[in-house]
Amino acid sequence: MSVTGVWVVGTVPDARVRDLLSRAVPESSPTPLTAGCDVSAELARWRAKAPESLFKPSTTVPGSWTAGDDAFRLSAFIDSCYDDSEHAESLRDAVMDEFPPDAGQGLFAAVARKAGPFSALAYALGPDAVMRLPGWFGDFLLDAEQVRARLPAAKETLALTGVRRRDVVERIHVWMTGLGDDPDHDADELLDGPLRVLHHAVRTGQGVAGQVRWY
């Protein structure tokens, strides 16, 4: 059975953000769950490996790539940062009910076969850039004030041009073919879409949520 990775970023009415958090997440669990994973050590390893490619050109499929051991390790680390607790999943479901019904200025959704879109973006950007994004590895829920505060860092991270953008887009493609089955994934939209939603939220005074999901 195939697995589909999804990353959704959408606006949420500001008045609903605090209520969603207070109902869905117990105050005693404010930090992400990363059981069985030394986050500091894995981040340090990732930083050391970040300048390198973790993939080699495929010898059987032109234009595709083959993942090395370090790519599988990075993928496992990012997956381990996903909080699949009952409270977290309940919050994701409740937040999704508040998203706009259709993709556009207020809603971005990336879908990939056998790969996580956020994981591909993380690999492409590198660890330091990823940690400047809102939340924790693609999951976040911000009220309108927090969106305004986080927008400058998100712009610095995602609004790329020139050689830097070309390199990031290429690395997204490499991840999507080396670990996934999505050679035609829109890598540019993976950069532009979330930023578009954040800008729209600032203009309209709304909150924003992001969530990683697997189906």
Side-chain angles (χ1 to χ4, degrees):
M1 181 176 65
S2 63
V3 176
T4 299
V6 179
W7 187 37
V8 185
V9 180
T11 56
V12 179
D14 189 48
R16 294 287 294 133
V17 173
R18 192 172 300 276
D19 178 58
L20 284 165
L21 284 171
S22 64
R23 287 194 305 107
V25 179
E27 294 183 2
S28 59
S29 300
T31 57
L33 300 180
T34 52
C37 175
D38 186 335
V39 174
S40 296
E42 289 300 320
L43 282 173
R45 180 182 176 85
W46 185 10
R47 287 189 179 97
K49 296 285 185 177
E52 308 171 14
S53 174
L54 306 185
F55 300 80
K56 294 181 179 180
S58 172
T59 58
T60 58
V61 182
S64 188
W65 297 78
T66 301
D69 291 344
D70 287 321
F72 286 109
R73 179 164 177 163
L74 176 58
S75 179
F77 164 60
I78 296 173
D79 288 347
S80 77
C81 293
Y82 179 81
D83 184 351
D84 61 355
S85 67
E86 180 180 348
H87 287 295
E89 293 292 4
S90 175
L91 175 58
R92 291 187 185 99
D93 290 340
V95 168
M96 187 167 281
D97 288 340
E98 301 291 336
F99 282 160
D102 301 306
Q105 294 298 307
L107 182 65
F108 157 81
V111 180
R113 296 184 300 274
K114 301 181 182 179
F118 183 83
S119 297
L121 179 65
Y123 167 68
L125 292 174
D128 294 325
V130 166
M131 300 309 285
R132 291 196 296 268
L133 293 175
W136 183 250
F137 287 90
D139 274 352
F140 58 91
L141 178 56
L142 309 177
D143 62 28
E145 182 178 355
Q146 291 170 321
V147 174
R148 290 191 295 271
R150 298 302 303 271
L151 180 59
K155 288 174 61 177
E156 180 182 357
T157 304
L158 298 174
L160 305 177
T161 59
V163 173
R164 171 62 172 158
R165 185 183 183 95
R166 184 194 66 200
D167 290 346
V168 165
V169 166
E170 174 60 20
R171 285 169 75 93
I172 291 171
H173 172 75
V174 168
W175 185 279
M176 288 299 189
T177 60
L179 283 172
D181 182 24
D182 200 353
D184 299 320
H185 191 86
D186 190 344
D188 285 291
E189 180 64 2
L190 200 51
L191 289 167
D192 298 336
L195 198 54
R196 182 174 61 245
V197 174
L198 291 170
H199 277 294
H200 180 68
V202 169
R203 289 194 302 269
T204 57
Q206 298 186 78
V208 174
Q211 49 185 256
V212 171
R213 309 205 76 155
W214 291 92
Y215 297 100

